[in-house]
Amino acid sequence: MSAKMSDLPGAVLEWSTDQVENWLRKCGHSDYVIRLLCDEHKIDGKALLTLTENDLKSPPVSMKILGDIKRLSTDLRLLQKKNFSCLEDLGLSLGPTVQAYSRLKLTNLDEANDFPNEDKSLYDEPTQPLGKRDSRALYLPPEFGKTFLSMAYLFVVTWITAFVMVIVHDRVPDMKKYPPLPDIFLDNVPTISWAFHMCEVTGSLLLLIWVAVLITHKHRFILLRRFFALSGTVFLLRCITMLITSLSVPGTHLECNPRPYGDLWAKIQHAYVIWRGAGMSIQGVRTCGDYMFSGHTVALTMLNFFITEYTPRRMYFLHTFSWLLNMFGIFFILSAHEHYSIDVFIAFYITSRLFLYYHTLANNQVNNFVLKHSFSRTLIEKSIIKIIVVSIW
């Protein structure tokens, strides 16, 4: 028999009992094992791939020698791993770690199939048809209702944000009485008049990239509801911080005087203008008082994190480009003297922490599952699993 026969994915299914016997001899198994499997039970290639350690212990095989059972089950695992695609063709489930890995990669759905499937013999569990237990890992329903609910949540939050921005503009401190606060960056970098427009251009470019990712991603509705939910939560937190404290205007070049908007209806109308223009100066929107913390930094950071998280790791050029846009966008905000440095820092910190905390919680249950069911792995393999989980944090 060719030394590479067991490495060919389609070859094992074609094996006869004689070829199985040759494989067993090549692996160094005793005549007792060969006679039991090949002569008495007529095990061919297809039967060999579906054997589990439980099959070896139970009738009608009923192997009695523990060493033979362990050695054979180890070789079977290796053979099944090399030929997992053949088992899928037979309609067999390939082990609970597939579910764990698939759920683990839900935070990186573009690589949901990167981990090779494993056989149930690793856990002494009988195989079962696809669709009963592993179907949850293989098929992720879009759940349009949840996506619509998260979109509605973001819609409401953006309206609240626009209305709060109108209120805080009424409360902006008098620029003559309250000069700009000391700031290491703003005090040492001159104002660049066009920088804020460039910040919004970089944000628009990140948005276009994110839309392209959504269009090409098969789990786009899952990504959408995560994006809506996290963005809405961060901007809701921003509404609270804007209302709590009103900072002085960071730049003397800004025309920030309280505007008497009048009654509630007038405020709602101006809030609509802010909402319609997404709070962007390139859309003709100018607001003051919404300094703690920077909404532009939130948008840049959130888009960057979603792009880098939900695109394949091999697209390192895209990830680098996304991070450059994020960092340059922040630099442009500060260069325009539209926000204090602390506004930008807190915005980046809160956005990144919320993104990472969400994905940590989403993976926490899977982390426990993988570590609990990895008793058959070596210490190095367990360490690799931990590194994978921690890297997503």
Side-chain angles (χ1 to χ4, degrees):
M1 181 183 67
S2 172
K4 295 185 179 180
M5 180 175 291
S6 62
D7 294 332
L8 299 175
V12 179
L13 289 177
E14 313 269 333
W15 284 1
S16 64
T17 55
D18 291 336
Q19 289 174 305
V20 171
E21 179 180 343
N22 291 336
W23 178 78
L24 291 170
R25 292 192 185 279
K26 174 189 169 184
C27 294
H29 294 287
S30 64
D31 291 337
Y32 160 73
V33 173
I34 296 171
R35 184 174 62 256
L36 184 64
L37 295 182
C38 299
D39 296 340
E40 294 186 22
H41 295 284
K42 309 297 182 184
I43 299 296
D44 58 7
K46 185 179 295 185
L48 185 69
L49 278 181
T50 59
L51 277 180
T52 67
E53 185 171 327
N54 191 50
D55 292 334
L56 301 178
K57 296 176 182 178
S58 306
V61 179
S62 302
M63 292 179 65
K64 303 299 183 183
I65 303 175
L66 182 60
D68 285 339
I69 294 174
K70 291 299 181 182
R71 283 187 291 271
L72 180 55
S73 62
T74 300
D75 289 334
L76 285 173
R77 291 169 192 167
L78 294 175
L79 185 67
Q80 289 160 348
K81 281 186 178 181
K82 292 178 181 178
N83 297 273
F84 66 89
S85 60
C86 297
L87 286 173
E88 286 186 331
D89 292 340
L90 294 176
L92 298 176
S93 171
L94 303 181
T97 38
V98 178
Q99 294 180 51
Y101 281 144
S102 297
R103 289 171 181 259
L104 179 65
K105 299 302 286 183
L106 282 180
T107 57
N108 195 2
L109 293 168
D110 59 288
E111 297 176 359
N113 297 320
D114 279 359
F115 290 96
N117 296 317
E118 297 183 11
D119 185 76
K120 282 186 180 292
S121 61
L122 289 171
Y123 308 99
D124 296 335
E125 299 178 8
T127 57
Q128 56 182 301
L130 281 172
K132 288 189 177 179
R133 188 166 75 170
D134 286 343
S135 59
R136 297 191 303 273
L138 299 176
Y139 173 69
L140 301 171
E143 297 183 292
F144 302 110
K146 289 183 179 179
T147 304
F148 177 80
L149 186 63
S150 62
M151 183 177 65
Y153 169 65
L154 179 61
F155 177 83
V156 171
V157 169
T158 54
W159 260 104
I160 295 174
T161 302
F163 189 76
V164 169
M165 291 171 75
V166 173
I167 295 175
V168 297
H169 199 133
D170 285 343
R171 296 169 47 196
V172 64
D174 186 359
M175 296 179 65
K176 295 180 180 179
K177 187 177 181 180
Y178 299 98
L181 299 173
D183 187 285
I184 293 177
F185 188 94
L186 302 187
D187 292 344
N188 293 279
V189 176
T191 304
I192 302 176
S193 59
W194 47 265
F196 202 60
H197 287 327
M198 284 302 300
C199 160
E200 295 180 344
V201 169
T202 59
S204 300
L205 187 54
L206 280 171
L207 179 60
L208 289 175
I209 296 173
W210 175 234
V211 170
V213 171
L214 288 173
I215 292 173
T216 57
H217 206 291
K218 67 177 180 178
H219 299 295
R220 60 185 65 88
F221 290 101
I222 298 177
L223 271 60
L224 270 175
R225 65 172 176 261
R226 291 180 175 185
F227 181 78
F228 290 152
L230 290 178
S231 299
T233 302
V234 177
F235 277 98
L236 192 59
L237 290 173
R238 181 171 179 260
C239 292
I240 297 172
T241 59
M242 285 192 296
L243 283 171
I244 290 175
T245 304
S246 295
L247 298 179
S248 59
V249 179
T252 56
H253 65 290
L254 298 173
E255 297 179 2
C256 291
N257 297 312
R259 299 174 184 173
Y261 290 112
D263 59 8
L264 178 62
W265 178 245
K267 292 180 179 180
I268 292 176
Q269 286 180 318
H270 192 72
Y272 171 72
V273 173
I274 296 174
W275 179 85
R276 182 187 60 193
M280 300 175 67
S281 62
I282 57 177
Q283 297 285 348
V285 177
R286 293 298 304 178
T287 58
C288 294
D290 54 331
Y291 299 123
M292 184 59 67
F293 42 90
S294 170
H296 283 71
T297 303
V298 169
L300 290 168
T301 306
M302 190 67 73
L303 288 169
N304 171 38
F305 271 64
F306 267 92
I307 289 169
T308 53
E309 181 66 22
Y310 292 107
T311 50
R313 292 291 175 259
R314 63 181 179 272
M315 299 180 69
Y316 55 89
F317 175 79
L318 176 62
H319 299 163
T320 303
F321 182 63
S322 178
W323 271 101
L324 285 174
L325 290 176
N326 191 178
M327 294 299 103
F328 271 103
I330 291 175
F331 172 78
F332 288 139
I333 293 172
L334 294 174
S335 298
H337 289 211
E338 292 280 347
H339 278 280
Y340 290 106
S341 302
I342 190 64
D343 303 346
V344 171
F345 175 80
I346 291 177
F348 182 85
Y349 182 82
I350 290 178
T351 305
S352 60
R353 291 312 96 183
L354 185 63
F355 182 92
L356 296 174
Y357 289 160
Y358 168 81
H359 289 82
T360 299
L361 290 173
N363 289 319
N364 188 44
Q365 183 177 359
V366 178
N367 180 20
N368 294 335
F369 179 88
V370 172
L371 297 180
K372 177 181 177 181
H373 291 276
S374 60
F375 56 84
S376 64
R377 299 179 179 276
T378 65
L379 180 61
I380 294 178
E381 287 175 314
K382 289 182 180 179
S383 301
I384 291 174
I385 291 174
K386 291 180 181 179
I387 291 172
I388 291 173
V389 175
V390 172
S391 67
I392 298 178
W393 294 4

